Amino acid sequence: MTAVRATSLALRYGRTTALEDVSFSLRTGVTGLLGPNGAGKTTLLRIVATALPADGGTLRILGHDPGTPPGRLAVRRRLGYLPQDPGFHPSFTAFEFVDYVAILKELTHRSARHAEVARVLSAVGLDDRRRSRIRTLSGGMRQRLALAAALVGDPDLVILDEPTVGLDPEQRLRFRELIADLGERKTVLLSTHQTEDVMSLCQEVVVLDRGRVRFEGTPSELAGLAAGRVWTSTQRQAGALASWRTGTGLHRHVGDPPPGAALVEPSIEDGYLTLVGAATGAEAPATAGGAR
Amino acid sequence: MTWHLLDDDIRAYAARTLAAPALWSAEAHLAACGECRERLAATATVDMGWALDVGWARLDAALDAPRPGPVERLMVLVGVPEHTARLLAATPALRLSWLLAIAVTATLTAAVAVLTDPVVFLAVAPLLPLVAVAMSFAPGIDPTYEIAVVAPVRSFRLLLLRCVAVLTATTALSTVASLFIHGYGLRATSWFLPSLALTVLSLLLSTRLGAAPAAVVTGVGWAAVVTATLGDRLVFTLAGQVGVAVVGGIAAVALSRQRGTYERYHVPNLTRRVP
């Protein structure tokens, strides 16, 4: 089932074009949103989360038009949103914060609400920290707490803006488990700089660059864009789009290979570089443990 | 146990058709009565097994829920619904630090007024709720602003709730401070109507300007009016108070008509933060 269908979305801030002719659709499962800084990812997420209106185009979310007040309310009742910079009331306990968000989501009956708060805290593994003040929680715990708040009410559409930023490898793995589990039943839109997140979590990926959709497809299709354009050698080679020494001591190159080059299987990152790197010279998405 | 659940209630509980408040009563009783739990277990079919799980989950959550803070407990004590008290507890301007700052400002202003001219207090006191209300809803000050924007709870309702709570708190503090203004009679309370009028006017302007700029514009306007009429202190006379009430009333009507603006998702300060 298509949960989100965007057609020719556009948004301008004064003379700056933030989004232009953006079209994509989201179904049950995890969809990754990749793009360099300033590509418009957060703006797009805010539009889908009904925090911002688009200037143009059409948007249908869970069968509703968020441009109308009833449609927007209907969407918000089935939406979970984790902003890039989730704010907390630091004097609240973990339980109180999620309880506050549950009230914002119209769960007013006390015992039912508290049961729901306990459920989501348990889902993110914060059962034993429910009485802890937020200011005493680590960065990873706060991020899980923000996810718990997004999951209140069992939303059908979950929007996560760079949820794995600042997490250590173990925390990131735990987070991936949570999101992967969520994606089995719900529609999840995940903005990230981590290609590992996309590889391990996403059934679909959308690449946004300078406000436009440059790619929409599966992660393997994204990697396939670099087929025949990735090779290794013992020496650094000029003229490649990107070139770096790997942990094995070999140099890995992305670009137009010289005759006789030792071609290798491309990764998502290679596909992303082929798509975006040449056009913008922008930074590539980060790898969790890559030697770049 | 001196009493037990009726068979009909147990069947309704198992079938998920028992409505509140009988539902709450049944849950509380089941938690304490083993005999009724056994009767429920005998009544519930395999498909109904979830009913016990749900009931126990609710009970567990109720027992584990942390005790609310003093401000929340006070609000519940004076009759504010529990969920509304929790919403208000997240209002930045109702934090103890903010309330202390407002109390100190009101006290200092009253002290200056006692030493110089009571009009100092009358002019400054209406600005306190103005600042507090702006602090209650402005992006960058409310840390959960973005989460609240996309929540289904009506923004206008949330705004009014916070305004009423903030106005109540600042009015109480200013009332105590005004007790120190001697020899001014009832005129010592002539900050009250301007407080209400300026707050409503600021809310009206915030539909166009955003919370903080609206408060600044309203505050500057108030200062200009007070300064211009300082000679005869017109604003604090009966005629002046009537004028203030009329302006406040007109602003309230206009705000009521504009309330839909808060339900739209045009948030000027949010869009400026987007890279």
Side-chain angles (χ1 to χ4, degrees):
Chain A
M1 176 198 162
T2 301
V4 176
R5 187 181 299 283
T7 310
S8 301
L9 289 182
L11 184 68
R12 295 179 67 84
Y13 298 125
R15 291 181 178 180
T16 306
T17 300
L19 296 174
E20 189 171 4
D21 196 24
V22 169
S23 300
F24 64 94
S25 57
L26 304 179
R27 297 172 194 82
T28 302
V30 184
T31 299
L33 183 61
L34 275 175
N37 287 334
K41 298 191 298 296
T42 294
T43 300
L44 182 57
L45 291 188
R46 281 177 170 160
I47 288 174
V48 179
T50 75
L52 279 179
D55 290 339
T58 58
L59 182 61
R60 298 287 294 181
I61 305 175
L62 302 168
H64 301 282
D65 175 7
T68 66
R72 194 157 51 246
L73 184 62
V75 171
R76 288 175 175 175
R77 284 182 169 146
R78 297 169 62 191
L79 173 77
Y81 177 42
L82 192 163
Q84 191 176 46
D85 185 19
F88 301 100
H89 295 288
S91 61
F92 271 5
T93 63
F95 190 99
E96 286 170 338
F97 173 71
V98 180
D99 194 40
Y100 166 70
V101 175
I103 295 166
L104 286 178
K105 290 189 174 185
E106 298 179 319
L107 297 175
T108 52
H109 187 283
R110 190 167 188 247
S111 62
R113 192 180 77 236
H114 284 179
E116 176 65 1
V117 172
R119 183 188 73 80
V120 294
L121 284 174
S122 173
V124 301
L126 286 177
D127 247 346
D128 56 338
R129 303 308 298 265
R130 62 173 65 179
R131 290 172 186 271
S132 302
R133 298 274 164 208
I134 293 175
R135 59 173 167 259
T136 69
L137 300 180
S138 68
M141 286 178 179
R142 287 186 188 202
Q143 202 68 347
R144 277 190 276 156
L145 181 62
L147 180 63
L151 298 183
V152 166
D154 199 22
D156 294 313
L157 172 63
V158 180
I159 298 170
L160 309 171
D161 196 353
E162 300 192 13
T164 56
V165 165
L167 300 184
D168 64 34
E170 186 192 343
Q171 290 170 336
R172 201 159 50 232
L173 284 174
R174 290 200 64 173
F175 223 84
R176 279 185 197 153
E177 280 182 341
L178 291 170
I179 295 169
D181 182 50
L182 200 61
E184 288 183 12
R185 299 168 289 116
K186 309 290 182 182
T187 301
V188 181
L189 178 57
L190 167 77
S191 166
T192 181
H193 275 108
Q194 306 284 348
T195 49
E196 279 83 355
D197 288 344
V198 175
M199 278 188 288
S200 56
L201 285 172
C202 301
Q203 290 84 54
E204 299 282 329
V205 59
V206 174
V207 177
L208 204 61
D209 181 29
R210 288 177 291 181
R212 284 176 168 271
V213 172
R214 297 288 304 277
F215 175 85
E216 185 182 7
T218 65
S220 59
E221 287 170 344
L222 177 58
L225 295 178
R229 292 172 57 81
V230 187
W231 73 101
T232 56
S233 69
T234 54
Q235 298 293 322
R236 189 177 180 85
Q237 291 186 0
L241 182 60
S243 185
W244 67 96
R245 190 171 183 273
T246 66
T248 63
L250 289 174
H251 288 261
R252 186 181 175 98
H253 316 281
V254 182
D256 294 323
L263 295 176
V264 296
E265 198 68 23
S267 67
I268 289 179
E269 191 177 32
D270 299 326
Y272 176 86
L273 276 171
T274 303
L275 189 69
V276 176
T280 65
E283 65 185 81
T287 55
R292 293 181 54 86
Chain B
M1 276 290 155
T2 55
W3 66 282
H4 296 285
L5 292 175
L6 299 173
D7 289 340
D8 286 349
D9 284 349
I10 285 189
R11 275 194 292 275
Y13 184 86
R16 202 166 43 163
T17 55
L18 191 61
L23 171 66
W24 307 332
S25 173
E27 282 184 348
H29 180 81
L30 283 165
C33 179
E35 190 178 329
C36 283
R37 282 199 299 274
E38 285 177 15
R39 289 169 60 211
L40 175 64
T43 303
T45 65
V46 173
D47 290 341
M48 290 173 174
W50 60 269
L52 275 178
D53 295 339
V54 170
W56 278 115
R58 285 182 178 180
L59 192 62
D60 283 347
L63 292 173
D64 287 345
R67 194 162 176 252
V71 176
E72 268 186 81
R73 289 206 301 274
L74 180 65
M75 283 191 273
V76 172
L77 202 64
V78 298
V80 176
E82 176 266 344
H83 60 277
T84 303
R86 174 56 49 86
L87 276 184
L88 293 176
T91 305
L94 287 182
R95 283 186 211 141
L96 202 56
S97 54
W98 275 99
L99 291 177
L100 278 175
I102 291 168
V104 168
T105 306
T107 306
L108 287 177
T109 307
V112 171
V114 168
L115 294 173
T116 56
D117 189 332
V119 83
V120 172
F121 179 76
L122 302 182
V124 172
L127 297 175
L128 298 179
L130 198 62
V131 174
V133 166
M135 298 298 105
S136 299
F137 215 73
I141 294 172
D142 180 354
T144 55
Y145 180 81
E146 199 167 350
I147 291 174
V149 163
V150 302
V153 160
R154 301 273 179 182
S155 298
F156 189 66
R157 176 175 172 262
L158 188 59
L159 178 74
L160 286 187
L161 276 173
R162 288 182 170 183
C163 284
V164 168
V166 165
L167 266 172
T168 304
T170 54
T171 299
L173 293 170
S174 293
T175 301
V176 171
S178 63
L179 295 176
F180 296 97
I181 310 291
H182 297 295
Y184 226 57
L186 271 179
R187 285 179 74 188
T189 60
S190 56
W191 50 268
F192 179 65
L193 280 178
S195 289
L196 296 179
L198 292 185
T199 302
V200 175
L201 202 55
S202 174
L203 291 178
L204 178 63
L205 289 176
S206 73
T207 60
R208 302 269 177 192
L209 306 176
V216 171
V217 168
T218 309
V220 169
W222 168 247
V225 169
V226 170
T227 306
T229 60
L230 203 54
D232 52 9
R233 304 182 179 194
L234 179 63
V235 180
F236 306 110
T237 63
L238 181 61
Q241 292 285 294
V242 170
V244 166
V246 168
V247 170
I250 292 171
V253 171
L255 177 65
S256 175
R257 291 185 173 177
Q258 290 282 314
R259 65 181 180 277
T261 307
Y262 284 95
E263 309 308 333
R264 292 181 200 139
Y265 45 8
H266 176 65
V267 188
N269 290 311
L270 194 62
T271 60
R272 276 202 292 273
R273 286 192 344 212
V274 175

